[in-house]
Amino acid sequence: MNGAVNTLELTGVTVARGAGPVIRDVSLTVPAGTVTALVGPNGAGKTSLLEALSGVIPVTSGSVTVGGTPITKLSRVARARLGLVHIEQGRAIFPGLTVVENLRLTAREPADIEGALEMFPELDKRRDSPAELLSGGEQQMVVLARAFVSRPAFLLIDEMSLGLAPVVFMRLLPMVRRFAEQGVGILLVEQFTHLALGLAREALVVSSGRVTYQGQAKELLNAPELLHAAYLGGADAPRQ
Ligand SMILES: Nc1ncnc2c1ncn2[C@@H]1O[C@H](COP(=O)(O)OP(=O)(O)OP(=O)(O)O)[C@@H](O)[C@H]1O
Ligand SMILES: [Mg+2]
């Protein structure tokens, strides 16, 4: 149903960038309390789509609603206030501040900080260390914890694995699932396709700016030929 309360909904969204559209007529729904993996080839438009949702770049046409509220004309800050939080590529933390100080900057309620540190025992041990002294994996945990204490309704995550060893990245994935279990709708862009699909319930494939697969992540994991066809543009994908 249109404007469902607990969804992030895109209808006919087009995003132009430089020479032309990089997202073309995309309609999809991101449910709350679920991880949705968004995968696709390099240059497909995944980052551009997340940036248009959070307000880094404008949506050219179409509509986006969060819990039924249209957002495309709202500022980035106003969208964040509605609970749309974007973890961009790269680890945006304050290196000179301690772990706890980093969390204080985004926490809606100070009491949430202890809850977040319970979810990340490694961070709890380093709570008073400057973030710059942490490992890459621990810094990415700070990024996740900062997002979590901001109490997002929807969390857009772009290539959390960047620069991390797969084994380190795999330790972060259960945290993402726990966020979803607490009601957050997660849109997870990830180059480690199989890890993302293994975690997610729903999956989207984007190729050349168009959605070429929408369905269950499990179905894609079990059908490499379907994934391959969707990456190539969906022309050869079997009809439902
Ligand atoms: N700042 C920019 N200015 C102009 N065009 C851009 C810009 N950033 C990306 N593009 C173009 O937009 C298209 C989509 O790029 P985007 O970065 O969104 O893809 P992606 O799916 O995130 O790719 P990757 O998997 O490599 O991260 C590409 O054609 C890219 O060249
Ligand atoms: Mg990208």
Side-chain angles (χ1 to χ4, degrees):
M1 187 200 272
N2 269 348
V5 173
N6 287 320
T7 56
L8 165 62
E9 297 208 17
L10 287 71
T11 311
V13 168
T14 294
V15 178
R17 176 157 231 183
V22 294
I23 290 293
R24 302 155 195 264
D25 194 21
V26 163
S27 299
L28 56 88
T29 299
V30 180
T34 295
V35 180
T36 301
L38 172 59
V39 300
N42 292 125
K46 304 179 297 293
T47 294
S48 300
L49 182 59
L50 296 197
E51 289 181 342
L53 293 176
S54 68
V56 177
I57 59 173
V59 169
T60 310
S61 61
S63 97
V64 182
T65 59
V66 172
T69 303
I71 60 152
T72 56
K73 295 197 170 59
L74 300 182
S75 69
R76 198 173 173 179
V77 172
R79 293 183 207 195
R81 242 182 254 130
L82 278 177
L84 192 56
V85 173
H86 184 183
I87 298 183
E88 295 181 60
Q89 271 178 6
R91 288 184 266 288
I93 51 171
F94 290 91
L97 299 183
T98 67
V99 169
V100 167
E101 286 164 347
N102 264 281
L103 299 186
R104 261 188 218 133
L105 290 178
T106 56
R108 286 212 186 185
E109 293 292 335
D112 290 349
I113 294 175
E114 290 308 316
L117 290 172
E118 264 171 40
M119 283 172 82
F120 296 94
E122 288 96 329
L123 290 188
D124 198 18
K125 279 188 224 141
R126 311 292 307 272
R127 58 193 293 146
D128 296 319
S129 303
E132 64 195 340
L133 299 185
L134 304 185
S135 69
E138 289 165 343
Q139 289 184 7
Q140 189 64 63
M141 287 179 197
V142 175
V143 172
L144 280 176
R146 273 170 58 86
F148 189 63
V149 297
S150 75
R151 295 199 176 174
F154 292 93
L155 188 54
L156 317 173
I157 306 181
D158 201 355
E159 307 281 14
M160 189 168 74
S161 62
L162 207 71
L164 298 180
V167 64
V168 175
F169 172 57
M170 281 168 71
R171 302 233 357 266
L172 299 173
L173 288 175
M175 308 300 177
V176 173
R177 194 196 295 262
R178 280 184 65 184
F179 290 178
E181 284 166 1
Q182 294 188 27
V184 183
I186 313 256
L187 191 54
L188 181 71
V189 170
E190 193 39 69
Q191 57 172 328
F192 289 123
T193 311
H194 287 81
L195 291 179
L197 292 176
L199 180 78
R201 191 183 81 194
E202 304 293 323
L204 298 161
V205 182
V206 174
S207 180
S208 302
R210 294 187 191 278
V211 175
T212 53
Y213 177 90
Q214 287 194 66
Q216 289 185 4
K218 192 170 54 182
E219 190 189 348
L220 264 194
L221 259 186
N222 294 336
E225 69 288 354
L226 198 60
L227 183 63
H228 186 64
Y231 265 60
L232 290 179
D236 299 322
R239 290 183 195 279
Q240 305 256 13

